[in-house]
Amino acid sequence: MYIINHGFNQEDMQEMNRALLIRLLREEGVCARAKLAKKSNLKQATVTNIINDFISWGLVREVGYMAGKKGRRSVGISINNDDYGVIGIQLARKHYGVGIYDLSGNEVVRKFVQTETRQSPRKVMDGLMEGVQGLIDGCGERKILAIGMAVPGPYSVRRGRIELMTGYDGWSDILIGEELETRFGLPVFLENDANAGALAQYWYDSKKNQDGVLIYIADGQGVGAGIFNNGELLKGVLGMAGEIGHMSINHKGPRCSCGNYGCLESYCSSIAFTKEVNRILAPITNYTFQEAAQMVRDQNPIVTEIYSSCCDYLASGIANIINCFNPTVIVIGDEMSHVDPDIMLDRVRREVKNRVIPEIFANISISLSKVENSMIHGAAIGAIRDIFYEPRKYFSRK
């Protein structure tokens, strides 16, 4: 949904109409002008003029004839996914990912890089930018229009920096967006990683989720929530809404670096899971998350019980979120959801059912994300949404 919160003038209306038509084209894939007019409730002449602008800019193109009613044929229009794209970036505690996505949000190329535990934020940032440069250099004739990046929270939109990355000091000294803009000369859109994951869920099912509340739960190296309310992302005054990883579920629990006690992510993140596996199995070896996850898949009873306990803790946090926001849809993603999807979904649904009012539970859908690499994907979508919102800014002066 695209909303302008000030008085309309003719150019405002024109931008809104452009945004509406490009969104409809993305949803339809290929669509004739007459159908666009019908679906948008715009006049045929208005649609024709806007589509002609889009064609002249190179944003869309005609792709041949489509069969219509009574044997009539019409020219199909689609978004130009071959000549343009955006960069998507995901920064996590132990890795980063960079990729190129076309203007419909389809992945063109992507790579993830593991980072060393003691690697400085400065070194990670330099490596990340080199990775982006390599993708741009290798994308041939495709023109990159913008960069979207998902970062761990709490991320302050006002200050333009990560305020806290638990266990990884130094990121609050780096102005990530400014550095990317200076290096690449492109618009940069930074988003909390859970918000980016929510964007990806909403992008591919916007009709279903247009009304009501959708919450994406990112259960990975940290824990966060992206919250869509009636088609709008809830960010909070500093952009830090949804930091459920720092919600206390045990007021006598261990002190977190955020200052709180017994934070949710201390009990159910992939870092907490791996730490507990090594605590229980020590001094046999020092397992990585991937090795611990495989032991669950191999039905190791001890490690499976630890993982199940993590899922129960996550359910406790989700129950709190449900009671706060009364959502229609909960979607769980990130690396903990991939360990054993069946165990996670069963434990979360069971525990949530036991912790919320029956009427609330009966009217909520809880599922696992079907969008691959939700957060890097959602980061790219954040950039694409701005292109769709103001296409003239990106294309009319090429």
Side-chain angles (χ1 to χ4, degrees), residues 288-309:
T288 65
F289 167 72
Q290 288 75 18
E291 291 168 337
Q294 188 58 50
M295 284 191 282
V296 175
R297 299 181 190 112
D298 293 339
Q299 300 182 340
N300 179 297
I302 296 174
V303 181
T304 299
E305 181 57 33
I306 295 170
Y307 177 69
S308 298
S309 179

Side-chain angles (χ1 to χ4, degrees), residues 364-385:
I364 187 171
S365 166
I366 302 176
S367 63
L368 300 184
S369 174
K370 296 180 181 179
V371 181
E372 187 177 2
N373 302 305
S374 293
M375 286 180 284
I376 186 172
H377 210 139
I381 289 168
I384 295 170
R385 276 165 61 96

Side-chain angles (χ1 to χ4, degrees), residues 20-125:
L20 173 60
L21 291 181
I22 199 66
R23 177 176 62 80
L24 289 172
L25 271 175
R26 198 272 300 175
E27 292 174 353
E28 293 293 322
V30 179
C31 195
R33 290 172 174 84
K35 187 175 181 180
L36 285 172
K38 182 177 180 180
K39 293 182 73 68
S40 66
N41 290 320
L42 296 176
K43 295 179 180 179
Q44 181 82 41
T46 300
V47 171
T48 297
N49 289 335
I50 292 175
I51 292 299
N52 287 344
D53 284 342
F54 286 171
I55 291 174
S56 69
W57 298 346
L59 173 56
V60 306
R61 57 190 178 185
E62 296 178 334
V63 293
Y65 287 100
M66 304 175 63
K69 295 180 179 180
K70 298 180 180 180
R72 297 174 181 173
R73 296 197 303 170
S74 55
V75 178
I77 308 295
S78 73
I79 294 173
N80 182 355
N81 285 322
D82 295 327
D83 296 332
Y84 300 99
V86 300
I87 294 288
I89 305 171
Q90 180 197 355
L91 174 66
R93 288 164 174 82
K94 295 186 177 181
H95 70 262
Y96 62 82
V98 294
I100 293 177
Y101 295 79
D102 67 27
L103 295 186
S104 291
N106 302 308
E107 183 181 290
V108 178
V109 61
R110 168 187 48 81
K111 67 175 182 178
F112 283 105
V113 177
Q114 295 297 126
T115 55
E116 299 175 7
T117 302
R118 297 182 180 179
Q119 201 167 3
S120 71
R122 179 71 270 158
K123 187 173 181 180
V124 173
M125 188 65 188

Side-chain angles (χ1 to χ4, degrees), residues 53-323:
D53 284 342
F54 286 171
I55 291 174
S56 69
W57 298 346
L59 173 56
V60 306
R61 57 190 178 185
E62 296 178 334
V63 293
Y65 287 100
M66 304 175 63
K69 295 180 179 180
K70 298 180 180 180
R72 297 174 181 173
R73 296 197 303 170
S74 55
V75 178
I77 308 295
S78 73
I79 294 173
N80 182 355
N81 285 322
D82 295 327
D83 296 332
Y84 300 99
V86 300
I87 294 288
I89 305 171
Q90 180 197 355
L91 174 66
R93 288 164 174 82
K94 295 186 177 181
H95 70 262
Y96 62 82
V98 294
I100 293 177
Y101 295 79
D102 67 27
L103 295 186
S104 291
N106 302 308
E107 183 181 290
V108 178
V109 61
R110 168 187 48 81
K111 67 175 182 178
F112 283 105
V113 177
Q114 295 297 126
T115 55
E116 299 175 7
T117 302
R118 297 182 180 179
Q119 201 167 3
S120 71
R122 179 71 270 158
K123 187 173 181 180
V124 173
M125 188 65 188
D126 290 344
L128 184 154
M129 289 196 292
E130 287 302 316
V132 171
Q133 188 64 61
L135 288 183
I136 293 175
D137 292 343
C139 70
E141 297 299 317
R142 185 185 298 271
K143 181 177 175 59
I144 302 301
L145 300 175
I147 296 173
M149 183 171 179
V151 298
Y155 167 74
S156 172
V157 172
R158 184 174 295 175
R159 286 162 54 87
R161 67 182 72 203
I162 298 170
E163 294 295 337
L164 173 68
M165 191 187 296
T166 308
Y168 294 81
D169 297 332
W171 279 103
S172 60
D173 298 326
I174 297 178
L175 297 175
I176 298 174
E178 286 188 14
E179 291 200 15
L180 289 170
E181 287 182 354
T182 299
R183 173 72 181 267
F184 299 105
L186 295 170
V188 176
F189 303 91
L190 267 68
E191 193 59 83
N192 172 282
D193 52 11
N195 286 349
L199 275 172
Q201 312 307 312
Y202 186 82
W203 180 262
Y204 289 108
D205 212 353
S206 58
K207 293 179 182 178
K208 177 181 177 182
N209 298 314
Q210 186 67 51
D211 299 321
V213 180
L214 175 150
I215 301 180
Y216 172 78
I217 306 292
D219 186 11
Q221 294 167 21
V223 181
I227 305 165
F228 261 96
N229 180 36
N230 293 326
E232 291 297 311
L233 192 60
L234 177 64
K235 295 188 177 184
V237 66
L238 296 177
M240 296 186 191
E243 285 297 335
I244 66 169
H246 296 288
M247 168 199 302
S248 177
I249 60 169
N250 178 8
H251 73 281
K252 293 185 178 180
R255 184 87 185 257
C256 178
S257 56
C258 76
N260 204 354
Y261 292 86
C263 287
L264 179 64
E265 69 176 33
S266 298
Y267 297 90
C268 65
S269 68
S270 61
I271 292 175
F273 166 61
T274 307
K275 183 178 179 180
E276 183 67 3
V277 168
N278 284 312
R279 186 186 73 82
I280 297 296
L281 298 183
I284 299 173
T285 187
N286 188 37
Y287 294 105
T288 65
F289 167 72
Q290 288 75 18
E291 291 168 337
Q294 188 58 50
M295 284 191 282
V296 175
R297 299 181 190 112
D298 293 339
Q299 300 182 340
N300 179 297
I302 296 174
V303 181
T304 299
E305 181 57 33
I306 295 170
Y307 177 69
S308 298
S309 179
C310 289
C311 295
D312 292 345
Y313 280 120
L314 177 64
S316 176
I318 290 175
N320 290 339
I321 289 296
I322 289 172
N323 286 324

